[in-house]
Amino acid sequence: MAIEFTKYHGLGNDFILIDNRSSSNPVITPAQAIPLCDRHFGIGADGIIFALPGENGTDYTMRIFNSDGSEPEMCGNGIRCLARFIADLEGESRHADQYRIHTLAGVITPQLMADGQVKVDMGLPQLLAGEIPTTLSTAEEKVINLPLVVSEKSWNVTCVSMGNPHCITFVDDVETIPLESIGPKFEHHLAFPQRINTEFIQVVSRDYLKMRVWERGAGITLACGTGACASLVAGVLNDKCDRSATVELPGGNLYIEWSATDGRVYMTGPTELAFTGKLP
Ligand code: ZDP
């Protein structure tokens, strides 16, 4: 039976979306996801996302496979695309502008805004080394501005989990970072038992950050929502930025806020439908 799919992207971070509402098991396996995500032999995407029936009283469940077939806990740009996809699927029968989505990182709540953007309650960041996870500190300690040797160079890193793990380094100029060569060395460093997403951040001002990312399981991408959230949190922990800021990524801008009131991180950004198609 032909499987229909829809391609969406958030700032060029692109995903194959599958309507999986009639079953709790993804209709595509991680092994099948790899060639589908391939940009030459397949559809081309940074990952594949399934809209599944809600678990634990939520509206829907999201699962995602990276382009290498691994399964991350969460995906910021992806959950914005998922919210738009579900709204499009529901069409006339849609009665809410907010969804409660079950993910491996807990319940995440995207909201469709009147201007077409999607604002997501990304939940609480986790900061303890044991939660990231990383061995850069003892399990109950935070990892803020600690040295990590990669490629014979010592980098000062801060680690934040947004459900998925992130390692953030502040640099003077993100353009000079040889992402292609050092990204994989961060990703597979022994200090990160679940591997890691790696962000390099240039602080332009206290409310404007410039970011480049090497994603776990996907490599260089044009944007990473969880990464932008983790980077703002890292900026606040290092007193380099305010609690809200614009994060400029190669694919465009996200607006991120770490609320002083409820401690949760809010991400606002666009999504766009690219095309629909059928798998043979
Ligand atoms: O944690 C990981 O393995 C990431 N590659 C997941 C995808 C993150 C994403 N780019 C985002 O926007 O948060 C989708």
Side-chain angles (χ1 to χ4, degrees):
M1 200 187 67
I3 298 174
E4 293 184 7
F5 68 87
T6 309
K7 246 323 270 296
Y8 286 79
H9 73 88
L11 302 176
N13 192 194
D14 58 344
F15 303 99
I16 301 163
L17 277 288
I18 305 276
D19 178 4
N20 213 123
R21 290 175 297 171
S22 55
S23 153
S24 294
N25 295 316
V27 294
I28 288 166
T29 64
Q32 291 169 328
I34 298 170
L36 290 176
C37 289
D38 188 283
R39 296 191 185 282
H40 302 288
F41 294 94
I43 301 160
D46 293 325
I48 181 160
I49 293 176
F50 305 88
L52 303 135
E55 285 172 49
N56 304 336
T58 57
D59 299 315
Y60 294 95
T61 297
M62 173 175 85
R63 287 185 63 187
I64 166 175
F65 300 147
N66 285 317
S67 51
D68 76 349
S70 60
E71 180 168 13
E73 302 80 352
M74 233 308 268
C75 174
N77 288 320
I79 205 161
R80 289 203 319 280
C81 294
L82 179 83
R84 170 78 47 215
F85 178 56
I86 291 168
D88 290 347
L89 287 176
E90 289 180 346
E92 297 280 289
S93 68
R94 177 159 79 93
H95 53 80
D97 60 9
Q98 196 165 330
Y99 299 109
R100 295 180 72 246
I101 310 285
H102 176 81
T103 76
L104 292 177
V107 178
I108 307 288
T109 316
Q111 184 183 2
L112 301 156
M113 309 298 281
D115 64 0
Q117 301 236 358
V118 182
K119 178 175 182 181
V120 187
D121 173 353
M122 299 281 283
L124 302 169
Q126 293 169 297
L127 304 177
L128 304 182
E131 296 172 320
I132 305 296
T134 175
T135 56
L136 279 175
S137 197
T138 53
E140 297 302 317
E141 305 243 35
K142 295 176 186 164
V143 179
I144 302 175
N145 204 29
L146 295 185
L148 172 74
V149 176
V150 177
S151 277
E152 288 156 21
K153 188 175 156 156
S154 182
W155 307 78
N156 286 329
V157 304
T158 297
C159 294
V160 175
S161 170
M162 290 303 305
N164 57 352
H166 295 270
C167 171
I168 296 100
T169 303
F170 293 93
V171 297
D172 292 337
D173 181 357
V174 284
E175 302 305 335
T176 62
I177 298 298
L179 255 194
E180 195 95 36
S181 57
I182 60 170
K185 294 187 177 154
F186 275 85
E187 180 180 356
H188 298 282
H189 197 287
L190 285 177
F192 305 117
Q194 304 283 331
R195 302 193 280 151
I196 199 88
N197 294 288
T198 305
E199 286 85 23
F200 294 94
I201 299 292
Q202 178 180 340
V203 180
V204 178
S205 69
R206 288 192 67 91
D207 64 358
Y208 198 99
L209 309 177
K210 215 173 149 183
M211 164 175 150
R212 286 179 72 208
V213 57
W214 177 272
E215 278 190 38
R216 175 180 69 170
I220 294 177
T221 59
L222 296 182
C224 177
T226 49
C229 294
S231 297
L232 176 108
V233 169
V236 171
L237 296 174
N238 286 282
D239 193 22
K240 288 182 183 293
C241 70
D242 298 337
R243 295 189 76 104
S244 62
T246 297
V247 181
E248 179 191 318
L249 303 125
N253 294 350
L254 289 173
Y255 178 73
I256 313 289
E257 182 189 356
W258 187 16
S259 168
T261 320
D262 61 19
R264 306 173 81 84
V265 183
Y266 295 87
M267 170 193 69
T268 307
T271 60
E272 210 163 311
L273 185 145
F275 59 89
T276 59
K278 261 187 201 157
L279 300 177

